[in-house]
Amino acid sequence: MKPPAFDYLRAESIGDVLEGLAQQGGDARVLAGGQSLMAMLNMRLAKPKLLIDIMRIGELRQIERKGDAVVIGAGVRQADLLAWSDLTEALPLVALALPWVGHMQTRSRGTICGSLAHADPSAEMPLTLVALGGEVFLRDAKRRRRVAAKDFFAGMMLTARADDELIEGISLPVIKGSRFAFREVARRHGDFAIVACAALKTPTGVRLAVGGIADVPTVRDWPRLEGSALDDALNAFAYELGARDDVHATARYRRDLVRMIGRDLIGEVLQ
Amino acid sequence: MVQAAVQSANSVDQGGERPWVGRSIERVEDAALLSGRGRFIDDLGVAPGTLHATILRSPHAHADILSIDTEAAKRLPGVAAVLTGEDVKAVTTTLVVGVKAPVECWPIAMDRVRYVGEPVAVVVATDRARAEDAAELINVEYRPRGAVVDPLGALASGAPVLHDGFPGNLASERTFRYGDPEKAFADAPHRFSIDIRYPRNSCTPIETYGVVASHDAGEDAYEVLANFQGPFSIHTVIARALKVPGNRLRLRTPPDSGGSFGVKQGVFPYIVLIAAAARVAGRPVKWIEDRLEHLAASVSATNRATTLAAAVAADGKILALDWDQVEDCGAHLRAPEPATLYRMHGNMTGAYDIGHVKIRNRVVVTNKTPTGLNRGFGGPQVYFALERLVQRIAIGLGLDPLDVIKRNLIDAGAFPYRTATGALLDSGNYQEAVSRAVAQGRLAELKAKRDEARAQGRLYGIGFTAVVEPSVSNMGYITTVLTAAERRKAGPKNGAQATATVGLDPVGSVTVHVASVPQGQGHRTVLSQVVADVFGLQPKDIRVNTEIDTAKDAWSIASGNYASRFAAAVAGTAKLAAERVAGRLARIAASQLNVEVVDIVFAKGFVASKHNPENRIAFSRVAALSHWSPGSLPDDAGQTIRETMFWTPPELTPPDEDDRINSSLCHGFIFDFCGVEIDRVTLETRIDRYVTMHDCGTILHPGMVNGQIRGGFAQALGAALYEEYAYAEDGSFLTGTLADYLLPTTTEVPEPEIIHMETPSPFTPLGAKGVGEGNCMSTPVCLANAVADALGVADITLPLVPARLAELVRGAEPPPPAGGAAVAPVREGDRRLRGEGQALVKGVPEQVWAMLLDPATLQSVIPGCQRVDKITDTHFRADVTLGIGPVSGRYRADVELFDLDPPRAVSLRGGATGALGFGNAEGRITLAPDGKDGTKLTYSYDAAIGGKVASIGGRLLDGATRVIIDQFFTALARKAGGGAPGGGFSLFALLAKVAGLFGGRR
Amino acid sequence: MTRLKADSRHSVRFSLNGKSVEGEAEPRMLLSDFLRHQLGATGTHVGCEHGACGACTIVVDGMLTRACLTLAAQVDGCEIKTVEGLAPSADRLGVLQQAFRRNHALQCGFCTAGILMSLDHYLASNPAPTEAEIRDLLSGHLCRCTGYTPIITAALEAAAKLASSKQETSDA
């Protein structure tokens, strides 16, 4: 279990990164916290020709409040964000979800944007980004673009990022006057979610986001629903997610969790 | 004494005048381990020029090896040798197989692979990374065979056969009859029966296997350092396989070993393999197993299908048992299997007084990793059936499960008690143990809690288990697999030789050596206590060495760390060795002090007269005399420089003519009960309280005894709730990482309430019995009984995965909304992905057909295709790179078109193999005119992926497979869209539908 | 910008337990292998090489780090602390180590180094942890021998002892 051979580029500026990506394209990988990528390298699941280490670039390490949004740079570690003094006030849903990401020993290295780039359908940060309706800032050597969360995740471990693009950061909206809830069921504490649900109150009703079932975290907005109308909506949503069996859970169990936890969380945020 | 021992169990106990044995002193091992100075195998230096090995393993569960091309690997700079089965065969011979059958057992595949992870080639290079680079360049051509993973399925007619020498996959079948079970069943008013499937799991030590081997061509002798744990009967197996006499295989163990729990017995095939590699390479070779190798292919406990029936009286008294066990030993019957099945043979009646027993034992081979030693070794499988059945009997008769247990326990006055199947239970008072546990563990309170919880609609249950824990295996128990006649022919095998050496150096300091090979059990500390007591010294005065070197040390086939034999056999033997030396020292001291030998006492560093303690001589002076002045020794004293003691208990006799076997020397008793609550939403099991009563005879070190109990409990909790080596029906291994094979962590393991009672064993020198394995036997079934009680269900299977419990307790699922996607029923274990769809295409069928059959089209729609070789008009080979996100690998693909029915239908069949595994898919496309100058295109596909990606990416695999298929059809659609007359059409709509079916997205 | 070529070895320097060290590594060499086999600091153990078992946990620039998920090249110029740096002197154990020995919080000792590093790091900034917090912290480590509870007892005991000795120091 030793990684395949690759060049290592210690980038000191964003320009370094973009240059490396432009040269090597799909054969280059950005190395941030390394908590997913390094394991894949050790298993030889990934075989990049070039690793670009972005963690020495100071300007990517910023957490900034910009108006009604919080901008988080590509170098911000999960532990940095958890320790950010404004987190609970500005991003209560992130404050709820982040402790579920891995373990303290992996959050201390792993980055927020790295988790998004990896796009594991069970991971908490993609779910949170989608639930909040955030944006991803992409940049290549020539241009910058912003991609809405719902358009960013393209499938299992697939995103809208082009091979020569760097995820420079993300923006998460500060949503005032709402209520948030998050719950996750995993086999053990710290495991990938069998089902993770995030709910928030919206001006017109409620939003439920579910991770761990479909290939991408999936969001549904509803008006205020109650009783059997809510049950029906959750049941339809549960089926639409296309759950499958694996060694940890059955499709039916996953649908059960969506129905039950979804109902609980919606109750919590609408009470 | 008992109270004192228990009180001191949780902290250290260094002072006082009491004997050292029985006290929780600080461990001598700990200072080095706590400061990073342990000496585990990979911490030790190797000879300059030592090479490093990696092993290429089979991605298939069952396949013929058609060819292996190692040329590119051998050409890679840094590569010293590449060995395939043929090369290994040239320098070794097959490992012995534990039953009489014409089968071979090699440490590497010869012409056929029989499980995922089976070694196929060994690459030896200057470092591990380069060896892995080279392994990826080896091209193996396989022809897959049908696989079988289920033990009962393996016996079914028409099942794929693994070994011609095991017809019908049956490696062994024996039936046994003790007493008159037929009459007991005929006469009994009640009969209860249970069918169980015990799952596969493993104790997975955190340190993996390691081997460093070298070969001296001049003497044709091997030197091997391995973190092997014994039994050293395996030394003979290794030497034989390497075709050298035992004295030309020097096997050593490192000072420290990072856990084993039986598992490191399984390193032995790799000792043969790496030794062979060292011989071929002509240099020392080192191999450290990685975690993926360990999970997929080290060793596993057996899974077992059991039917157990009991003849029962109206009061719950069990009159007879009828066992039918089908033991799954995986792909090869590796030594010492089928020992897992026979280790418990004397104990098939558990803690109960049952006179009549019938047993049918079958051993089968399946396409899974071969099995071997694992903590509990056969106990969990037996007790899961027996103790689940006891609960069922209680429910069936309307009795309290605890009352049924009590009604059947062996009477306290009956010890030593001979069980129906031959075990001689040494000592115990089971009734007393149960009543103490019930009181001290506050069972009444737990029952009240259950009542209250249930009144609130919560799912709360209580489970009980009573277990006899055997320890110190009889080396002869495995011969019970042979008939009495076969045994007569083979010669007797029995006993449990333990060895200990006590040496005194020229300054009179004491050294002890034993062949016990610990992996963290603190043997050095306990032996220092035992010997210090004999010599009247302090533990710190005794230096203990537990490494083994078969070229220099005293050892026997029974040496090693297994069957919980340390406290009972090894520590006792050290005591006897020290006493023998002490007896001689007493003679010397008596002559110097002018007193009788009986007046001599060893205390506080002196040898003194009991009657006149002032008349004394320093221990070190007496101890050194043999070195400095042998002439001054009394004539009859003998030397005191070094004494090696061999001890084997006379109670361990071979199986008798009627197949009765005293399979173990000691028998501890465990009584457990627990309360669990199950969450109504998640169906997760939470342990509210777990009480475990142990009588393991005399306790030598309370802290370590409790450590063994807690550790066993945690592993058992894993087996009950989380751990399973899962295989798909096609033999794919599905739990190849520690994110899939789930070990319990701090957040899952509560503190068990441990209660002790000490009934010394009359058969061991210190009165001690083994204690390390008991909870692996008692806890899984105790938790299962509690969960069954909470849910009110009769059948329950481990591990208690919440989703499985959901199947048991939840009624029909709410149906999908009308018009929504239907849910295809999925058979458990079936991992194939199936899909179908249709769409309307512009252009008449002939036009679409031409496009579909165009080789250029095929080339452009295979994802990542780099090159296509046309074999025939309908058969293509291609090199492709497939990737999902960062995960990508190169594959050789083979695509065939068949059942051509132009322009109406065509089938595609393809497979791809590469370093990450293999995939295959089949699809059928039909074309029909839509009546409007267009074509209605219908297709279906069926795909599967196996090998490394299935083992380590199982959670993501289905999604990834869908992505690949999407890539294929997307490309096909683009091609169709671009090339079809009239343009405009694509298969996109169709694909969206497929994606909707499987992925749920729009 | 520094680009290290795949097939050659490059100098890596950092501070290990307060002493500067140097070795050579190819870009792909894992920090765990570099520590163990280049520098001979074998106290950090390797159990899974996919970040799951925690045996290789060390502290890099004040961050808990899985050495098996880190490249040697990444830590050039960093400050690293490993189990070898825990004891006040070669013949004396620190408070946490002593608590482990006193409570039989280790058996084979293979996973222990990583657990000690997590606790040492955590207790430095969380002097009065609850049992639940310790359990949460240590859920990132696997131990197959002890059943964990003696480890938790040792951690809480060490925390109390460290807090009281700090108290004494500040009182003085």
Side-chain angles (χ1 to χ4, degrees), chain A residues 3 6 8 10 31 38 53 56, chain C residues 4 10-14 23-35 38-39 60 66-78 80:
Chain A
F6 46 74
Y8 169 86
R10 187 179 298 129
L31 175 63
M38 284 303 305
D53 183 351
R56 306 217 178 194
Chain C
L4 309 179
H10 310 269
S11 168
V12 176
R13 277 177 221 158
F14 52 81
E24 287 199 329
E26 290 180 8
R28 64 165 144 177
M29 178 170 272
L30 301 176
L31 178 55
S32 44
D33 288 334
F34 187 77
L35 285 169
Q38 300 291 310
L39 302 179
V60 177
R66 306 285 209 216
C68 79
L69 297 184
T70 309
L71 299 169
Q74 274 177 284
V75 302
D76 191 60
C78 294
I80 292 185

Side-chain angles (χ1 to χ4, degrees), chain B residues 182 438 871:
Chain B
E182 295 81 6
V438 165
I871 310 299

Side-chain angles (χ1 to χ4, degrees), chain A residues 1-2 40 43-47 120 187-189 215-216 235 239-240 244 252-253 255-256 259-260, chain B residues 129 132-133 136 290 682 721 743 748 810-811 813-815 886-888 948 955 958 962 1000-1001:
Chain A
M1 262 185 100
K2 304 299 174 196
M40 287 199 293
M43 294 179 188
R44 296 194 174 217
L45 289 173
K47 289 195 176 167
D120 187 305
R187 290 292 304 283
R188 299 171 308 178
H189 180 63
D215 286 350
V216 295
N235 187 44
Y239 276 101
E240 283 163 28
R244 282 185 62 90
R252 189 255 162 102
Y253 178 73
R255 287 191 293 270
D256 283 345
R259 286 183 283 254
M260 289 191 272
Chain B
E132 291 186 21
D133 293 345
E136 292 191 327
D290 70 37
T682 65
L721 300 179
L743 312 187
E748 285 79 41
R810 287 186 178 153
E813 185 180 7
V887 180
S888 72
K948 185 172 171 181
R955 192 175 57 82
D958 286 345
R962 288 196 296 275
R1001 288 180 300 111

Side-chain angles (χ1 to χ4, degrees), chain A residues 75-268:
Chain A
V76 174
R77 301 189 196 268
Q78 291 148 10
D80 297 337
L81 186 58
L82 256 180
W84 183 48
S85 53
D86 293 353
L87 182 67
T88 309
E89 179 265 322
L91 300 170
L93 183 62
V94 177
L96 291 172
L98 206 43
W100 291 85
V101 178
H103 299 280
M104 210 170 294
Q105 297 83 355
T106 61
R107 292 194 296 269
S108 63
R109 300 288 301 192
T111 61
I112 299 290
C113 291
S115 172
L116 300 173
H118 186 53
D120 187 305
S122 297
E124 293 82 4
M125 286 321 299
L127 175 67
T128 311
L129 182 80
V130 166
L132 292 175
E135 281 185 318
V136 180
F137 304 158
L138 295 169
R139 180 174 174 186
D140 65 19
K142 298 198 185 85
R143 63 183 188 129
R144 290 176 147 138
R145 63 184 177 122
R146 293 177 161 217
V147 178
K150 65 179 169 50
D151 301 322
F152 181 71
F153 298 105
M156 166 85 54
M157 295 166 79
L158 292 174
T159 69
R161 185 186 78 85
D163 285 343
D164 58 354
E165 282 180 314
L166 168 71
I167 298 176
E168 212 178 354
I170 58 163
S171 157
L172 293 173
V174 175
I175 300 171
K176 295 282 184 193
S178 179
R179 294 173 65 91
F180 302 88
F182 180 87
R183 196 171 309 162
E184 174 172 320
V185 175
R187 290 292 304 283
R188 299 171 308 178
H189 180 63
D191 279 339
F192 281 104
I194 287 171
V195 168
C197 295
L200 57 138
K201 200 174 78 167
T202 60
T204 54
V206 69
R207 172 181 297 172
L208 182 68
V210 176
I213 304 184
D215 286 350
V216 295
T218 308
V219 163
R220 198 55 42 99
D221 281 293
W222 287 300
R224 257 190 117 90
L225 291 175
E226 268 159 19
S228 66
L230 176 58
D231 287 340
D232 290 347
L234 283 167
N235 187 44
F237 187 34
Y239 276 101
E240 283 163 28
L241 291 167
R244 282 185 62 90
D245 294 353
D246 64 24
V247 292
H248 300 306
T250 59
R252 189 255 162 102
Y253 178 73
R254 290 189 158 94
R255 287 191 293 270
D256 283 345
L257 291 178
V258 173
R259 286 183 283 254
M260 289 191 272
I261 293 176
R263 199 183 163 84
D264 284 356
L265 294 194
I266 288 169
E268 275 176 43

